[in-house]
Structures are given as structure tokens and as C-alpha cells.
Amino acid sequence: MSEKQRLTGQRVLVIGGARDLGLAVATAVAEAGATVIVAARDPERARSAAAGIPGASAVGLDITDEASTTRALDAVGHVDHIVATASAHHNVPVTEYTRDGVEAAFDAKVIGPLLLAKHAARVLPPTGSLLLFSGVAAWTPSPDYTIMGITNGAVAFTALHLARELAPIRVNALSPGVIDSGSWDGLDDKQAFLDGAAASTLVGRYGQSQDITDAVTWLLGAGFVTGETLHVEGGARFA
């Protein structure tokens, strides 16, 4: 079976799939043959994104709200895979932390996915999988990015422990580096930022969305891989 047909006949829920990297993931999964359900906190944004993906549908889902998660899973029904790309940033110096900011970051990356797993167990088949998104910040400590690093690091352990508890359902994490996915478009000097990120890798470049979407489609179909964190960041951890 070709990579383009890797997910034929399967249903994939992509949380955070209405924009940037999440939208790229949803699009790539559909191109790999899956039927995609785009989930986002804003149902209208989810519907707008789904309209651009052949065969896709949409559902409102706020991963930080357990009731929203259960309603969405009830509405969606059976799925073969769930991909959770949601995040919330609190990138400030430690002297400027707020409880609300810290809690929001943990809700999006750790608490929300744990409660997602609680309810996903009833909609995923034994051959299904849950894919969480971590990030290179966990392995490259930097001032102002401590909360991002800690929450992304926690995702790796979340995948490991959930893989054991939900087995045979597979649970993995994917840890991207800096990806030119649209999320950095608001920077005053985006290119300088990306060039700096490229210099901080072993391969001498920053990432493209396809680097991540290729890894996602592979992981969803990799039936003998679970409990792992796949690093797609050009060796930034070692540079």
C-alpha cells in the first residue's frame, strides 16, 4: 500500500485541526485516505476548515473542558485515531507567572489530554491510537519558555504511561521543532527567527509542515509503535 493510501477506510479526529499545523495535519491525513473530523474550540472555525478538506466534517471541542470533550466524542462516535495538537502558551519570565496562565498551559497539554484519554477509550478500537503533541522546548531549556518546556516534557511521560494503561490502544507523542506552519507569521521579523532556529539544528534548516505531517501519518499507521515520543526537530536537542 502506498503512503498516500496508508489510512484508507479509517476515521481520524484532529483536535486543533482548524489552523496552522493542526490544519496541515488534518489535510495530510485526508490525503492519506482517512475520513477526517476537524475539532476546534470554535465550531464555526472547525466547519470552515473542514469545508476545504474533501469528505471532512467538523465538531466543536474544547480540550480544557471535559464536558465539551465528552459531547464531541458522543457526536463523532467511532474513530480509529485521535490527534491532539492543542496548546496554550505562558511564555514569560518566572517572575511574571500567573496561576491562570500556568493552569491554562497544563490544561491544554496535560490535563485535557488525560481526560480526553479517559473518554477516548470508549470510542477507539483495540487497533486505534491516540497521538499527542509535545515539543522541542522540553529538551532545550531557555529563559521565558520554562512553562512550555515543562508541559511539553510532561506530554512524553503522559504518552508513555497511557500506552501502558490503554493497551492495546496505542498512545504516542510527536515532538516538533520550529516549524514554518503559520504560527510564527505574527512575528515582527519572522525570517530572522526562522533563520536562528535553523542555525540551532544539526541539519541546518527549520522545519516545514510536511516534516510533521509525514511523521503523523506514519505514526498513525505504525501498529507496532506505542509509548514513544518521536522527535522531528532536525537534531535541535543535540545542536
Side-chain angles (χ1 to χ4, degrees), residues 15 21-22 25 63 82-89 105 108-110 113 130-140 145-160 171-179 181 183-184 212 215-216 219 227-233 237:
I15 300 171
L21 192 55
V25 167
I63 201 169
I82 300 175
V83 182
T85 71
S87 64
H89 302 309
K109 281 290 187 179
V110 183
L130 172 61
L131 178 57
L132 307 177
F133 264 59
S134 178
V136 69
W139 290 270
T140 54
Y145 291 90
T146 295
I147 298 300
M148 177 183 285
I150 292 171
T151 54
N152 279 297
V155 172
F157 285 101
T158 299
L160 172 61
V171 185
N172 291 295
L174 192 151
S175 179
V178 173
I179 308 297
S181 62
S183 59
W184 307 106
I212 303 304
V216 169
L219 270 175
E228 299 292 345
T229 296
L230 178 61
H231 298 272
V232 187
E233 32 81 309
R237 288 168 296 153

Side-chain angles (χ1 to χ4, degrees), residues 17-216:
R19 57 180 294 188
D20 299 335
L21 192 55
L23 178 57
V25 167
T27 302
V29 166
E31 290 174 350
T35 299
V36 175
I37 306 99
V38 176
R41 180 179 299 180
D42 181 344
E44 183 54 42
R45 178 171 282 180
R47 285 191 288 270
S48 177
I53 302 173
S57 59
V59 66
L61 192 159
D62 179 355
I63 201 169
T64 68
D65 180 345
E66 185 176 6
S68 172
T69 296
T70 57
R71 286 194 300 270
L73 293 179
D74 287 342
V76 169
H78 165 83
V79 291
D80 295 283
H81 306 283
I82 300 175
V83 182
T85 71
S87 64
H89 302 309
H90 192 47
N91 299 331
V92 297
V94 64
T95 54
E96 297 178 16
Y97 288 169
T98 66
R99 175 170 289 277
D100 286 348
V102 172
E103 289 180 349
F106 275 89
D107 269 345
K109 281 290 187 179
V110 183
I111 300 171
L114 285 170
L115 295 176
L116 170 68
K118 168 186 173 181
H119 298 287
R122 63 182 167 82
V123 300
L124 289 169
T127 55
S129 74
L130 172 61
L131 178 57
L132 307 177
F133 264 59
S134 178
V136 69
W139 290 270
T140 54
S142 178
D144 302 350
Y145 291 90
T146 295
I147 298 300
M148 177 183 285
I150 292 171
T151 54
N152 279 297
V155 172
F157 285 101
T158 299
L160 172 61
H161 288 269
L162 286 178
R164 182 64 184 86
E165 185 149 6
L166 295 181
I169 294 170
R170 295 181 298 113
V171 185
N172 291 295
L174 192 151
S175 179
V178 173
I179 308 297
D180 186 15
S181 62
S183 59
W184 307 106
D185 289 355
L187 294 179
D188 290 337
D189 196 342
K190 170 186 167 181
Q191 194 57 51
F193 169 78
L194 292 176
D195 289 344
S200 298
T201 69
L202 296 182
V203 298
R205 70 173 177 87
Y206 52 86
Q208 301 291 340
S209 293
Q210 187 175 351
D211 294 312
I212 303 304
T213 59
D214 284 350
V216 169

